[in-house]
Amino acid sequence: QALILAVLLFPVLRGLALQLHSFLTGSYIPGTHSMALIGCLNEHIAKDIARAIMEKKLAASVNILPTSSALSFWKGELEESTEILLLVKTRTSKVGELSNYVRSIHPFEIPGIISLPIDQGNPLYLQWIGDSVPRD
């Protein structure tokens, strides 16, 4: 039973040890922050969604990238379209809430929302992301 308990608690204890190490040394814990990518139909929708994300304090910043071509399968058919891509910088702990919120306001039936953890970066920039997005 002690072995099972140790195995189950390892991720929690490791996380606490990393947070303590980060606090004491000022180092970054990889994966603490994430970049989410969200596809939008046009610039107007992209700006509305970006503004709504910022007003909810779900991100430190949102970049709105220019129109790009997109190919995808939708309901068994190859679709060709254009879309605007949002790059959203946030806490990894906020990705679920961000995704739920965007799905509730996005006009697509199945909006393209994915996230990638940030492994490394400018420590001051990463700290700014953390300072800008409230903790859970």
Side-chain angles (χ1 to χ4, degrees), residues 60-131:
S61 74
V62 179
N63 294 85
I64 302 171
L65 300 184
T67 304
S68 63
S69 296
L71 296 171
S72 59
F73 284 106
W74 179 247
K75 298 186 179 182
E77 298 292 323
L78 181 60
E79 299 283 330
E80 189 170 342
S81 62
T82 60
E83 67 180 28
I84 305 289
L85 188 63
L86 301 179
L87 298 179
V88 182
K89 278 77 75 186
T90 189
R91 290 179 180 275
T92 299
S93 63
K94 292 289 188 177
V95 169
E97 184 180 351
L98 171 71
S99 180
N100 289 337
Y101 180 64
V102 170
R103 285 195 318 267
S104 76
I105 63 172
H106 202 290
F108 285 177
E109 184 179 339
I110 302 175
I113 307 166
I114 61 171
S115 72
L116 305 166
I118 298 172
D119 185 47
Q120 297 181 46
N122 175 352
L124 295 175
Y125 184 78
L126 297 172
Q127 181 180 346
W128 170 77
I129 293 173
D131 292 345

